[in-house]
Amino acid sequence: MSVQPAALQIPPGATPAPGTGSSFARRFGKWSPRWLALPFPLFLLLLWYVAARFEWVAPQVLPSPQAVLLTFIDLAASGEMFDNLRISLLRVLLGFGVGLAGGLLLGVAMGLSPVFKDYVYPLFKAFSQVPVLGWLPLLMLLVGIDEALKVILISKAALVPIALNTYKGIENVPARYVDVAKVLKFSRWQLLTRVIFPAALPPIWNGVRYGFTHAWLALVVVELLASSEGLGYMIVFGRQLFQLDVVMAAVVVVGAVGYTLDRVLAHIEIILLGWRRSGF
């Protein structure tokens, strides 16, 4: 058994002096998570620059970051990038709105009515297992390749997580909350608005965020396959002409816009669910 030197022994109950073993942990703990997330993407950017600079990959396949930046500036100056971005945003907002309304109605109905759930839930689960692309050939025959096709597929992608999270959120409301409401003789409307929906709001909002993420992904997929405008079309058009700088510029915009919209939803969540931090 090894014995710790007397100079290094710490009496029981004493705390280490500042700057001994925990100074690095304290300094590291002061870093914001946002700063901690920067090194890896910066490393990827550096690796991309080095690979393009020394032509580890052919420039026709991997354009340099400078080339992509210049292409983005040109597309933005001409208005082409923003025109396609506007079209994509309108599509995803319309499809997400339809999916949001349908998902909330369906989730609330399944959560509040056991009979309705028994009839609908098995079919809904089967419907949700079919990916967005699985419906594409059938819908192309039924509605063509116009805007209706894109809105239906985007709304389907958003509806599934919203409906599931809404149903599960209502179903998992603690029974003791309902018992207290009955003791207080709440009406059914008061029970829904003051107990059920506030308690189920966190999972419902999670479903809204997941639904929007799925809608954004479905938008890009649909535009890749059946569209003549939008960010997804820019990616396909650039690939067909072997303009990889256009492809990568559009991909960067897709990622940046999707991330920004998700952060907006996260900020709204903090506002809506701020009451949870008050202890009530």
Side-chain angles (χ1 to χ4, degrees):
M1 184 175 104
S2 62
V3 180
Q4 188 179 18
L8 299 179
Q9 290 180 358
I10 300 175
T15 57
T20 56
S22 59
S23 59
F24 175 77
R26 287 197 302 270
R27 288 195 298 268
F28 188 77
K30 293 180 180 179
W31 283 42
S32 169
R34 295 181 181 179
W35 291 107
L36 293 176
L38 282 178
F40 184 66
L42 290 177
F43 169 75
L44 291 180
L45 182 61
L46 177 62
L47 182 62
W48 177 15
Y49 171 80
V50 173
R53 175 68 176 79
F54 293 98
E55 296 188 1
W56 294 348
V57 183
Q60 295 80 7
V61 177
L62 183 66
S64 65
Q66 304 96 304
V68 174
L69 178 60
L70 292 175
T71 299
F72 172 79
I73 293 174
D74 290 340
L75 292 172
S78 65
E80 183 179 355
M81 178 65 75
F82 295 115
D83 288 341
N84 286 283
L85 174 60
R86 176 181 56 82
I87 292 169
S88 293
L89 285 175
L90 290 176
R91 282 175 179 161
V92 76
L93 291 177
L94 179 58
F96 175 71
V98 175
L100 175 65
L104 290 176
L105 291 175
L106 185 59
V108 169
M110 291 192 297
L112 296 179
S113 175
V115 176
F116 183 83
K117 184 201 75 171
D118 292 339
Y119 278 109
V120 174
Y121 189 70
L123 179 61
F124 173 75
K125 284 293 292 183
F127 169 79
S128 65
Q129 298 303 313
V130 181
V132 171
L133 290 181
W135 297 101
L136 184 61
L138 177 62
L139 290 175
M140 288 179 68
L141 294 175
L142 295 177
V143 300
I145 60 173
D146 293 331
E147 291 300 310
L149 171 69
K150 304 171 185 60
V151 172
I152 292 173
L153 291 176
I154 294 170
S155 62
K156 185 270 177 186
L159 181 145
V160 172
I162 294 174
L164 283 176
N165 279 268
T166 302
Y167 157 61
K168 293 295 183 181
I170 294 176
E171 186 183 50
N172 293 330
V173 172
R176 62 181 182 274
Y177 292 179
V178 180
D179 294 337
V180 172
K182 291 180 179 179
V183 171
L184 296 176
K185 297 182 179 180
F186 278 11
S187 66
R188 183 166 180 81
W189 177 251
Q190 290 176 319
L191 175 64
L192 292 176
T193 57
R194 298 187 182 183
V195 179
I196 301 295
F197 291 146
L201 185 57
I204 291 176
W205 190 257
N206 285 335
V208 172
R209 289 185 64 182
Y210 282 126
F212 187 84
T213 300
H214 289 194
W216 184 251
L217 296 176
L219 165 77
V220 176
V221 172
V222 171
E223 289 184 342
L224 284 172
L225 298 176
S227 181
S228 59
E229 51 191 359
L231 293 176
Y233 169 74
M234 287 187 66
I235 296 174
V236 174
F237 184 75
R239 179 188 61 82
Q240 291 174 345
L241 297 182
F242 219 71
Q243 297 176 345
L244 275 302
D245 51 345
V246 175
V247 172
M248 298 193 72
V251 168
V252 170
V253 172
V254 168
V257 172
Y259 177 79
T260 302
L261 294 175
D262 181 73
R263 299 317 303 165
V264 170
L265 292 177
H267 183 70
I268 296 175
E269 178 180 2
I270 294 175
I271 298 174
L272 290 178
L273 304 180
W275 54 268
R276 292 188 299 177
R277 301 184 180 183
S278 63
F280 292 100

